[in-house]
Amino acid sequence: MLILDAHLDLAMNAIEWNRDLSRPLAEIRARERGMTDRPDRERATVSFDELRRGRIGVVVATQIARWVKPSNPLPGWHSPEQAWAMTQAQLAWYREMERRGELRAITSRAGLDAHLAEWERTPDPLAARLPIGYVRSLEGADSIVTPDHLERAWETGLRAVGPAHYGPGTYAQGTDATGGIGEAGRVLLRHMERLGLILDATHLCDDSFREALDNFGGRVWASHSNCRALVPHNRQFADAQIRELASRGAVIGVALDAWMLVPGWQRGVTTPEAAGVTLATVVDHIDHICQVTGSARHVGIGSDLDGAFGREQTAADLQSIADLARIPEILRARGYSDDDVAAIAHGNFVRFLREALPA
């Protein structure tokens, strides 16, 4: 079954982690042997071939570069212009992967439908070396220096923006922060709505979530978020927020970062095996969203795999991103119909994109 993954930091892995995603996953891991600069070295799960092997034919792929002011203790760039430049380096990598035939930019409904048709008629995407379709999203908007920069990003194919990431931001407040979007955030949302950009509600703190939805009339999704009822933390959505997103026609992509899947996770201490985190735990969050919204129309997969974590902090029974293909089996075992399984695996996000992308 075709899988759509609504959140992958592909360019971050290529440019900042120095991973050549065109190589086999075993080779990517081997080249990192002995490296200790990041906790996920030797534990990567994503490569282009693993995406093809799992029939993950469409992804939402990010650009990400945080600007941090002197008072912000988080790592990041020291000016918005530097952050913008990093996103442009990431864009250059995406373009090179398009040139090589590894990726295909999806910026319109027609492009999406043509790409899906090719994947649907090809029995073995890995053998055929099919390009993986990607919709480009900006995670955290601090790199948008001016509205003109947003316009330029749209013209080059950007189709979704998450105004916040972790901590305080220029346009909204993110995970572990508090406060609203302010005038700068309202201006950003007006320009996003004018251009037809999708608002990604992921990472917005509760105050900014409320103000963003009140000030934005366009399409909204949440690319990679889980359920606060199962894991109590401000990074997750409360049931009322899940219902509100559903009322706006949103789809929520469930993430595979283990600390978002089970309560009490301690980074660098807890292991997936000890915590009992499996792909079935991922389905617990999917099922909770279905129960809260009353249908299977508002949930999908937004794995965030290799988003600064690897096998040490995801489902114990996941060896690579190709194992996302096992989620439909678990859903069927829990009584989900074939139609609902297909909707969760890809159909909900495909429907959303067909409605949100320009013709």
Side-chain angles (χ1 to χ4, degrees), residues 110-199:
L112 174 66
D113 286 341
H115 177 80
L116 290 173
E118 182 178 17
W119 272 72
E120 286 165 359
R121 67 173 176 262
T122 304
D124 188 343
L126 179 57
R129 309 298 305 166
L130 286 188
I132 298 144
Y134 79 101
V135 179
R136 206 167 89 240
S137 177
L138 181 64
E139 185 172 21
D142 289 354
S143 61
I144 299 298
V145 185
T146 69
D148 178 65
H149 288 74
L150 185 68
E151 190 109 24
R152 287 157 57 188
W154 164 261
E155 290 170 354
T156 63
L158 185 71
R159 292 296 179 262
V161 174
H165 192 220
Y166 278 86
T170 302
Y171 299 105
Q173 314 314 311
T175 300
D176 293 331
T178 58
I181 63 175
E183 180 58 23
R186 288 187 285 274
V187 170
L188 177 75
L189 293 177
R190 284 198 294 271
H191 286 287
M192 285 175 56
E193 188 171 343
R194 174 178 60 82
L195 292 167
L197 282 157
I198 299 162
L199 169 63

Coordinates of all heavy atoms in Angstrom, one line a residue, residues 110-199:
A110 N -2.1 18.9 -10.3 CA -1.8 18.1 -11.5 C -0.5 17.3 -11.3 O -0.4 16.1 -11.6 CB -1.7 19.0 -12.7
G111 N 0.5 17.9 -10.7 CA 1.7 17.2 -10.4 C 1.6 16.1 -9.4 O 2.2 15.0 -9.6
L112 N 0.8 16.3 -8.4 CA 0.5 15.3 -7.4 C -0.2 14.1 -8.1 O 0.2 12.9 -7.9 CB -0.4 15.8 -6.3 CG -0.9 14.8 -5.3 CD1 0.3 14.2 -4.5 CD2 -2.0 15.4 -4.4
D113 N -1.2 14.3 -8.9 CA -2.0 13.2 -9.5 C -1.1 12.5 -10.5 O -1.1 11.2 -10.6 CB -3.2 13.8 -10.2 CG -4.3 14.2 -9.2 OD1 -4.2 13.7 -8.1 OD2 -5.2 15.0 -9.6
A114 N -0.2 13.2 -11.3 CA 0.6 12.5 -12.2 C 1.6 11.6 -11.5 O 1.9 10.5 -11.9 CB 1.4 13.5 -13.1
H115 N 2.2 12.1 -10.4 CA 3.1 11.3 -9.6 C 2.5 10.1 -9.0 O 3.0 9.0 -9.1 CB 3.7 12.2 -8.5 CG 4.7 11.5 -7.6 ND1 6.0 11.3 -8.0 CD2 4.5 10.9 -6.4 CE1 6.6 10.6 -7.0 NE2 5.7 10.4 -6.0
L116 N 1.3 10.3 -8.4 CA 0.6 9.1 -7.8 C 0.3 8.1 -8.8 O 0.4 6.9 -8.6 CB -0.7 9.6 -7.1 CG -0.5 10.4 -5.9 CD1 -1.9 11.0 -5.4 CD2 0.1 9.6 -4.7
A117 N -0.1 8.5 -10.0 CA -0.5 7.5 -11.1 C 0.8 6.7 -11.4 O 0.7 5.5 -11.7 CB -1.0 8.3 -12.3
E118 N 1.9 7.3 -11.5 CA 3.2 6.6 -11.8 C 3.5 5.5 -10.7 O 3.8 4.4 -11.0 CB 4.3 7.5 -12.0 CG 5.6 6.8 -12.4 CD 6.8 7.8 -12.6 OE1 6.7 8.9 -12.2 OE2 7.8 7.3 -13.2
W119 N 3.3 5.9 -9.5 CA 3.6 5.0 -8.4 C 2.6 3.9 -8.4 O 2.9 2.7 -8.1 CB 3.6 5.7 -7.1 CG 5.0 6.2 -6.8 CD1 5.7 7.3 -7.4 CD2 5.9 5.7 -5.8 NE1 6.9 7.4 -6.8 CE2 7.1 6.5 -5.9 CE3 5.9 4.7 -4.9 CZ2 8.2 6.2 -5.0 CZ3 7.0 4.4 -4.0 CH2 8.1 5.2 -4.2
E120 N 1.3 4.2 -8.6 CA 0.3 3.2 -8.6 C 0.4 2.1 -9.7 O 0.1 1.0 -9.5 CB -1.1 3.8 -8.6 CG -1.5 4.6 -7.3 CD -2.6 5.5 -7.5 OE1 -3.2 5.6 -8.6 OE2 -3.0 6.1 -6.5
R121 N 1.0 2.5 -10.8 CA 1.1 1.5 -11.9 C 2.5 0.8 -11.9 O 2.7 0.0 -12.8 CB 0.9 2.2 -13.3 CG 1.9 3.2 -13.7 CD 1.7 3.7 -15.1 NE 2.7 4.7 -15.5 CZ 2.4 6.0 -15.4 NH1 1.2 6.4 -15.1 NH2 3.3 6.9 -15.8
T122 N 3.3 1.1 -10.9 CA 4.6 0.5 -10.9 C 4.7 -0.5 -9.7 O 4.6 -0.1 -8.5 CB 5.7 1.6 -10.7 OG1 5.6 2.5 -11.7 CG2 7.1 0.9 -10.7
P123 N 4.8 -1.8 -10.0 CA 4.8 -2.8 -8.9 C 5.9 -2.7 -8.0 O 5.8 -3.1 -6.8 CB 4.7 -4.1 -9.7 CG 5.2 -3.8 -11.0 CD 4.9 -2.4 -11.3
D124 N 7.1 -2.3 -8.5 CA 8.3 -2.3 -7.6 C 9.0 -1.0 -7.8 O 9.9 -0.8 -8.6 CB 9.2 -3.5 -8.0 CG 10.4 -3.7 -7.0 OD1 10.7 -2.7 -6.2 OD2 11.0 -4.7 -7.0
P125 N 8.7 0.0 -6.9 CA 9.3 1.3 -7.1 C 10.8 1.3 -6.8 O 11.6 2.1 -7.4 CB 8.7 2.2 -6.0 CG 7.4 1.4 -5.6 CD 7.7 0.0 -5.9
L126 N 11.3 0.3 -6.0 CA 12.8 0.2 -5.8 C 13.5 -0.2 -7.1 O 14.5 0.4 -7.5 CB 13.1 -0.7 -4.6 CG 14.5 -0.9 -4.3 CD1 15.2 0.4 -4.0 CD2 14.6 -1.9 -3.1
A127 N 13.0 -1.3 -7.7 CA 13.6 -1.8 -8.9 C 13.5 -0.7 -10.0 O 14.4 -0.6 -10.8 CB 12.9 -3.1 -9.3
A128 N 12.4 0.0 -10.1 CA 12.2 1.0 -11.1 C 12.9 2.3 -10.8 O 13.0 3.2 -11.7 CB 10.7 1.2 -11.3
R129 N 13.5 2.4 -9.6 CA 14.2 3.7 -9.2 C 13.3 4.9 -9.4 O 13.7 6.0 -9.9 CB 15.5 3.9 -10.0 CG 16.4 2.7 -10.1 CD 16.9 2.3 -8.7 NE 17.6 3.5 -8.0 CZ 17.9 3.5 -6.7 NH1 17.5 2.4 -6.0 NH2 18.4 4.5 -6.2
L130 N 12.0 4.7 -9.0 CA 11.1 5.9 -9.1 C 11.5 7.0 -8.2 O 11.9 6.8 -7.1 CB 9.7 5.4 -8.7 CG 8.9 4.5 -9.6 CD1 7.4 4.4 -9.1 CD2 8.9 5.0 -11.0
P131 N 11.3 8.3 -8.7 CA 11.6 9.4 -7.8 C 10.5 9.5 -6.7 O 9.3 9.1 -7.0 CB 11.5 10.6 -8.8 CG 10.7 10.1 -9.9 CD 10.9 8.7 -10.1
I132 N 10.9 9.9 -5.6 CA 10.0 10.1 -4.4 C 9.5 11.5 -4.5 O 10.2 12.5 -4.6 CB 10.7 9.9 -3.1 CG1 11.3 8.4 -3.0 CG2 9.8 10.2 -1.9 CD1 12.6 8.3 -2.4
G133 N 8.1 11.6 -4.5 CA 7.5 13.0 -4.5 C 7.7 13.7 -3.2 O 7.5 13.0 -2.2
Y134 N 7.9 15.0 -3.3 CA 8.0 15.7 -2.0 C 7.3 17.1 -2.1 O 7.4 17.8 -3.1 CB 9.5 15.9 -1.5 CG 10.3 17.0 -2.2 CD1 10.5 18.2 -1.6 CD2 10.8 16.8 -3.5 CE1 11.2 19.2 -2.2 CE2 11.6 17.7 -4.1 CZ 11.8 19.0 -3.5 OH 12.5 20.0 -4.1
V135 N 6.6 17.4 -1.1 CA 6.0 18.7 -0.9 C 6.8 19.4 0.1 O 7.1 18.9 1.2 CB 4.5 18.5 -0.3 CG1 3.9 19.9 -0.1 CG2 3.7 17.7 -1.3
R136 N 7.3 20.6 -0.2 CA 8.3 21.3 0.6 C 7.5 22.2 1.7 O 6.6 22.9 1.4 CB 9.2 22.2 -0.2 CG 10.5 22.4 0.4 CD 11.5 23.0 -0.6 NE 11.4 24.5 -0.6 CZ 11.1 25.2 -1.6 NH1 10.9 24.7 -2.8 NH2 11.1 26.5 -1.5
S137 N 8.0 22.0 2.9 CA 7.5 22.7 4.1 C 8.6 23.4 4.8 O 9.7 22.9 4.9 CB 6.7 21.7 5.0 OG 6.2 22.4 6.1
L138 N 8.3 24.5 5.5 CA 9.2 25.2 6.3 C 8.8 25.0 7.8 O 7.7 25.4 8.2 CB 9.2 26.7 6.0 CG 10.2 27.6 6.8 CD1 11.6 27.2 6.5 CD2 9.9 29.1 6.5
E139 N 9.7 24.4 8.5 CA 9.5 24.1 10.0 C 10.1 25.2 10.8 O 11.3 25.3 11.0 CB 10.0 22.8 10.4 CG 9.7 22.4 11.8 CD 10.0 21.0 12.2 OE1 10.9 20.4 11.5 OE2 9.5 20.4 13.1
G140 N 9.2 26.1 11.3 CA 9.7 27.3 12.0 C 10.0 28.4 11.0 O 10.8 28.2 10.1
A141 N 9.3 29.5 11.2 CA 9.4 30.6 10.2 C 10.4 31.7 10.4 O 10.4 32.7 9.7 CB 8.0 31.2 10.0
D142 N 11.3 31.5 11.4 CA 12.2 32.6 11.8 C 13.1 33.0 10.6 O 13.7 34.1 10.6 CB 13.0 32.2 13.0 CG 12.2 32.2 14.3 OD1 11.0 32.6 14.2 OD2 12.7 31.7 15.3
S143 N 13.3 32.1 9.7 CA 14.2 32.4 8.5 C 13.5 33.3 7.5 O 14.2 33.7 6.5 CB 14.6 31.1 7.9 OG 13.5 30.3 7.4
I144 N 12.2 33.5 7.7 CA 11.5 34.4 6.7 C 11.8 35.9 7.2 O 11.3 36.4 8.1 CB 10.0 34.2 6.7 CG1 9.7 32.7 6.3 CG2 9.3 35.2 5.9 CD1 10.1 32.4 4.9
V145 N 12.8 36.5 6.5 CA 13.3 37.8 6.9 C 12.2 38.9 6.7 O 12.0 39.7 7.6 CB 14.6 38.1 6.1 CG1 15.2 39.5 6.7 CG2 15.6 37.0 6.3
T146 N 11.6 38.8 5.5 CA 10.5 39.8 5.2 C 9.4 39.1 4.4 O 9.6 38.0 4.0 CB 11.1 40.9 4.3 OG1 11.4 40.4 3.0 CG2 12.3 41.6 4.9
P147 N 8.3 39.7 4.2 CA 7.2 39.1 3.4 C 7.7 38.8 2.0 O 7.2 37.8 1.4 CB 6.1 40.2 3.4 CG 6.3 40.9 4.7 CD 7.8 40.9 4.9
D148 N 8.6 39.6 1.5 CA 9.2 39.3 0.2 C 9.9 37.9 0.1 O 9.9 37.2 -0.8 CB 10.2 40.4 -0.3 CG 10.8 40.1 -1.6 OD1 10.1 40.1 -2.6 OD2 12.0 39.9 -1.7
H149 N 10.6 37.6 1.2 CA 11.2 36.3 1.3 C 10.2 35.2 1.3 O 10.4 34.1 0.7 CB 12.1 36.2 2.6 CG 13.3 37.0 2.6 ND1 13.3 38.4 2.7 CD2 14.6 36.7 2.5 CE1 14.6 38.8 2.7 NE2 15.4 37.8 2.5
L150 N 9.1 35.4 1.9 CA 8.0 34.4 1.9 C 7.5 34.2 0.4 O 7.3 33.1 0.0 CB 6.8 34.8 2.8 CG 5.7 33.8 2.9 CD1 6.2 32.5 3.6 CD2 4.5 34.4 3.7
E151 N 7.3 35.3 -0.2 CA 6.9 35.3 -1.6 C 7.9 34.5 -2.5 O 7.5 33.7 -3.3 CB 6.7 36.7 -2.2 CG 6.0 36.8 -3.5 CD 4.6 37.3 -3.4 OE1 4.3 38.1 -2.4 OE2 3.8 37.0 -4.3
R152 N 9.1 34.8 -2.3 CA 10.2 34.1 -3.1 C 10.2 32.6 -2.8 O 10.3 31.8 -3.7 CB 11.5 34.7 -2.8 CG 11.8 36.1 -3.4 CD 12.8 36.9 -2.7 NE 14.1 36.2 -2.6 CZ 15.1 36.7 -1.8 NH1 15.0 37.8 -1.1 NH2 16.3 36.1 -1.8
A153 N 9.9 32.3 -1.5 CA 9.9 30.8 -1.2 C 8.7 30.2 -1.8 O 8.8 29.0 -2.3 CB 9.8 30.7 0.4
W154 N 7.6 30.8 -1.8 CA 6.4 30.3 -2.5 C 6.7 30.1 -4.0 O 6.4 29.0 -4.6 CB 5.2 31.2 -2.4 CG 4.1 31.0 -3.4 CD1 3.9 31.6 -4.5 CD2 3.1 30.0 -3.3 NE1 2.8 31.1 -5.2 CE2 2.3 30.1 -4.5 CE3 2.8 29.0 -2.4 CZ2 1.2 29.2 -4.7 CZ3 1.7 28.1 -2.6 CH2 0.9 28.3 -3.8
E155 N 7.3 31.0 -4.6 CA 7.6 30.9 -6.1 C 8.6 29.8 -6.4 O 8.5 29.2 -7.5 CB 8.2 32.2 -6.6 CG 7.2 33.4 -6.6 CD 7.8 34.7 -6.9 OE1 9.1 34.8 -7.0 OE2 7.0 35.7 -7.0
T156 N 9.4 29.4 -5.4 CA 10.3 28.3 -5.7 C 9.7 26.9 -5.2 O 10.4 25.9 -5.3 CB 11.7 28.4 -4.9 OG1 11.4 28.5 -3.5 CG2 12.3 29.7 -5.4
G157 N 8.4 26.9 -4.8 CA 7.7 25.7 -4.5 C 7.4 25.4 -3.1 O 6.8 24.3 -2.8
L158 N 7.7 26.3 -2.1 CA 7.2 26.1 -0.7 C 5.7 26.1 -0.7 O 5.0 26.9 -1.3 CB 7.8 27.2 0.2 CG 7.5 27.1 1.7 CD1 8.3 25.9 2.2 CD2 7.7 28.4 2.4
R159 N 5.1 25.1 0.0 CA 3.7 25.0 0.1 C 3.1 24.9 1.5 O 1.9 24.9 1.6 CB 3.3 23.7 -0.7 CG 3.5 23.9 -2.2 CD 2.7 25.0 -2.8 NE 2.8 25.2 -4.2 CZ 3.6 26.1 -4.8 NH1 4.3 26.9 -4.0 NH2 3.7 26.3 -6.1
A160 N 3.9 24.8 2.5 CA 3.4 24.8 3.9 C 4.4 25.5 4.8 O 5.6 25.4 4.6 CB 3.2 23.4 4.4
V161 N 3.9 26.1 5.9 CA 4.8 26.8 6.9 C 4.3 26.5 8.3 O 3.1 26.6 8.6 CB 4.8 28.3 6.6 CG1 5.6 29.0 7.8 CG2 5.4 28.7 5.3
G162 N 5.2 26.0 9.1 CA 4.9 26.0 10.6 C 5.5 27.2 11.2 O 6.8 27.3 11.2
P163 N 4.8 28.1 11.7 CA 5.3 29.4 12.2 C 6.3 29.2 13.4 O 7.2 30.1 13.6 CB 4.1 30.2 12.7 CG 3.0 29.6 11.9 CD 3.3 28.2 11.8
A164 N 6.2 28.1 14.2 CA 7.1 28.0 15.3 C 7.8 26.6 15.3 O 7.3 25.7 14.6 CB 6.2 28.1 16.6
H165 N 8.8 26.5 16.1 CA 9.5 25.2 16.4 C 9.6 25.1 17.9 O 8.6 25.2 18.6 CB 10.8 25.2 15.6 CG 11.4 23.8 15.6 ND1 12.8 23.6 15.8 CD2 10.8 22.6 15.4 CE1 13.0 22.3 15.7 NE2 11.8 21.6 15.5
Y166 N 10.8 24.9 18.4 CA 10.9 24.9 19.9 C 11.2 26.3 20.4 O 12.0 27.0 19.8 CB 12.1 23.9 20.2 CG 11.7 22.5 20.3 CD1 11.7 21.7 19.1 CD2 11.2 21.9 21.5 CE1 11.3 20.4 19.1 CE2 10.9 20.5 21.5 CZ 10.9 19.8 20.3 OH 10.5 18.5 20.3
G167 N 10.6 26.6 21.5 CA 11.0 27.8 22.2 C 10.3 29.1 21.6 O 9.4 29.0 20.7
P168 N 10.8 30.2 22.0 CA 10.2 31.5 21.5 C 10.7 31.7 20.1 O 11.8 31.4 19.7 CB 10.8 32.6 22.4 CG 12.1 32.0 22.9 CD 11.8 30.5 23.0
G169 N 9.8 32.3 19.3 CA 10.1 32.6 17.9 C 9.6 34.0 17.5 O 9.0 34.7 18.2
T170 N 10.0 34.4 16.2 CA 9.6 35.7 15.7 C 8.1 35.8 15.4 O 7.5 36.8 15.7 CB 10.4 35.9 14.4 OG1 11.8 35.9 14.7 CG2 10.1 37.3 13.8
Y171 N 7.6 34.7 14.9 CA 6.2 34.8 14.4 C 5.2 34.0 15.3 O 4.0 34.2 15.1 CB 6.1 34.3 13.0 CG 7.0 35.1 12.0 CD1 8.2 34.6 11.6 CD2 6.6 36.3 11.6 CE1 9.0 35.3 10.7 CE2 7.3 37.1 10.7 CZ 8.5 36.5 10.3 OH 9.3 37.3 9.4
A172 N 5.7 33.2 16.2 CA 4.8 32.5 17.1 C 5.7 31.9 18.2 O 6.9 31.8 18.1 CB 4.0 31.4 16.4
Q173 N 5.1 31.4 19.2 CA 5.8 30.7 20.3 C 5.6 29.2 20.2 O 4.5 28.7 19.9 CB 5.3 31.2 21.7 CG 5.2 32.7 21.8 CD 6.3 33.5 21.2 OE1 7.5 33.2 21.5 NE2 6.1 34.5 20.3
G174 N 6.7 28.4 20.4 CA 6.6 27.0 20.1 C 6.6 26.1 21.3 O 6.3 26.6 22.4
T175 N 7.0 24.9 21.1 CA 7.1 23.9 22.2 C 7.9 24.4 23.4 O 8.9 25.0 23.2 CB 7.7 22.6 21.7 OG1 6.9 22.1 20.6 CG2 7.8 21.6 22.7
D176 N 7.3 24.3 24.6 CA 7.9 24.7 25.8 C 7.9 26.2 26.0 O 8.5 26.7 27.0 CB 9.3 24.1 26.0 CG 9.3 22.6 26.2 OD1 8.3 22.1 26.7 OD2 10.3 22.0 25.8
A177 N 7.3 27.0 25.2 CA 7.2 28.4 25.3 C 5.7 28.8 25.6 O 4.9 27.9 25.6 CB 7.7 29.2 24.1
T178 N 5.5 30.0 25.9 CA 4.1 30.5 26.1 C 4.0 31.8 25.4 O 5.0 32.5 25.1 CB 3.8 30.7 27.6 OG1 4.7 31.6 28.2 CG2 3.8 29.4 28.3
G179 N 2.7 32.2 25.1 CA 2.5 33.5 24.5 C 1.9 33.4 23.1 O 1.9 32.3 22.5
G180 N 1.4 34.5 22.6 CA 0.7 34.5 21.3 C 1.6 34.8 20.2 O 2.8 34.8 20.3
I181 N 1.0 35.1 19.0 CA 1.7 35.3 17.8 C 2.1 36.7 17.5 O 3.0 37.0 16.8 CB 0.9 34.8 16.6 CG1 -0.4 35.6 16.4 CG2 0.6 33.3 16.7 CD1 -1.2 35.2 15.2
G182 N 1.5 37.7 18.2 CA 1.8 39.1 18.0 C 1.5 39.6 16.6 O 1.0 38.9 15.8
E183 N 1.9 40.9 16.4 CA 1.6 41.5 15.1 C 2.4 40.9 14.0 O 1.9 40.7 12.9 CB 1.9 43.0 15.2 CG 1.6 43.8 13.9 CD 0.1 43.6 13.4 OE1 -0.7 43.3 14.2 OE2 -0.1 43.8 12.2
A184 N 3.7 40.5 14.3 CA 4.5 39.9 13.3 C 3.8 38.6 12.8 O 3.8 38.3 11.6 CB 5.9 39.6 13.8
G185 N 3.3 37.8 13.7 CA 2.6 36.5 13.4 C 1.4 36.8 12.6 O 1.1 36.0 11.6
R186 N 0.6 37.8 12.9 CA -0.6 38.1 12.2 C -0.3 38.5 10.8 O -1.0 38.1 9.8 CB -1.4 39.2 12.9 CG -2.1 38.6 14.2 CD -3.0 39.6 14.8 NE -2.3 40.7 15.5 CZ -1.9 40.7 16.7 NH1 -2.1 39.6 17.5 NH2 -1.3 41.7 17.3
V187 N 0.8 39.3 10.6 CA 1.2 39.7 9.2 C 1.6 38.5 8.4 O 1.3 38.3 7.3 CB 2.3 40.7 9.3 CG1 2.9 41.0 7.9 CG2 1.8 42.0 9.9
L188 N 2.4 37.6 9.1 CA 2.8 36.4 8.4 C 1.6 35.6 7.9 O 1.6 35.1 6.7 CB 3.7 35.5 9.3 CG 4.2 34.2 8.7 CD1 5.3 34.4 7.7 CD2 4.6 33.2 9.8
L189 N 0.7 35.4 8.8 CA -0.5 34.6 8.4 C -1.3 35.2 7.3 O -1.9 34.5 6.5 CB -1.4 34.4 9.7 CG -0.8 33.5 10.8 CD1 -1.7 33.4 12.0 CD2 -0.5 32.1 10.3
R190 N -1.4 36.5 7.3 CA -2.1 37.2 6.2 C -1.4 36.9 4.9 O -2.1 36.6 3.9 CB -2.2 38.7 6.4 CG -3.2 39.1 7.5 CD -3.6 40.6 7.4 NE -2.5 41.5 7.7 CZ -2.2 41.9 9.0 NH1 -2.9 41.5 10.0 NH2 -1.2 42.7 9.1
H191 N -0.1 37.0 4.8 CA 0.6 36.7 3.6 C 0.5 35.2 3.2 O 0.4 34.9 2.0 CB 2.1 37.1 3.7 CG 2.2 38.6 3.6 ND1 2.1 39.3 2.5 CD2 2.5 39.5 4.6 CE1 2.3 40.6 2.7 NE2 2.6 40.8 4.0
M192 N 0.5 34.3 4.2 CA 0.4 32.9 3.9 C -1.0 32.6 3.3 O -1.1 31.9 2.4 CB 0.6 32.1 5.2 CG 2.0 32.0 5.7 SD 2.1 31.1 7.3 CE 1.3 29.6 7.0
E193 N -2.0 33.2 3.9 CA -3.4 33.0 3.4 C -3.5 33.6 2.0 O -4.1 32.9 1.1 CB -4.4 33.7 4.3 CG -5.8 33.4 4.0 CD -6.8 33.8 5.0 OE1 -6.4 34.1 6.2 OE2 -8.0 33.9 4.7
R194 N -2.9 34.7 1.7 CA -3.0 35.3 0.4 C -2.3 34.4 -0.7 O -2.8 34.2 -1.8 CB -2.3 36.7 0.4 CG -2.1 37.3 -1.0 CD -1.4 38.7 -0.9 NE -0.1 38.6 -0.3 CZ 1.0 38.3 -1.0 NH1 0.9 38.0 -2.3 NH2 2.2 38.3 -0.4
L195 N -1.2 33.8 -0.3 CA -0.4 32.9 -1.2 C -1.0 31.5 -1.3 O -0.7 30.8 -2.3 CB 1.0 32.8 -0.8 CG 1.9 34.1 -0.9 CD1 3.2 34.0 -0.1 CD2 2.1 34.5 -2.3
G196 N -1.8 31.1 -0.4 CA -2.4 29.8 -0.4 C -1.5 28.8 0.3 O -1.6 27.6 0.1
L197 N -0.6 29.2 1.2 CA 0.2 28.3 1.9 C -0.5 27.6 3.0 O -1.4 28.2 3.6 CB 1.4 29.1 2.6 CG 2.6 29.5 1.6 CD1 3.3 30.6 2.2 CD2 3.5 28.3 1.4
I198 N -0.2 26.4 3.2 CA -0.8 25.6 4.3 C -0.2 26.0 5.7 O 1.0 26.2 5.7 CB -0.6 24.1 4.1 CG1 -1.2 23.6 2.8 CG2 -1.1 23.2 5.3 CD1 -0.7 22.3 2.2
L199 N -1.0 26.2 6.7 CA -0.5 26.5 8.0 C -0.3 25.1 8.7 O -1.3 24.3 8.9 CB -1.5 27.3 8.8 CG -1.3 27.4 10.3 CD1 0.0 28.2 10.6 CD2 -2.5 28.2 11.0

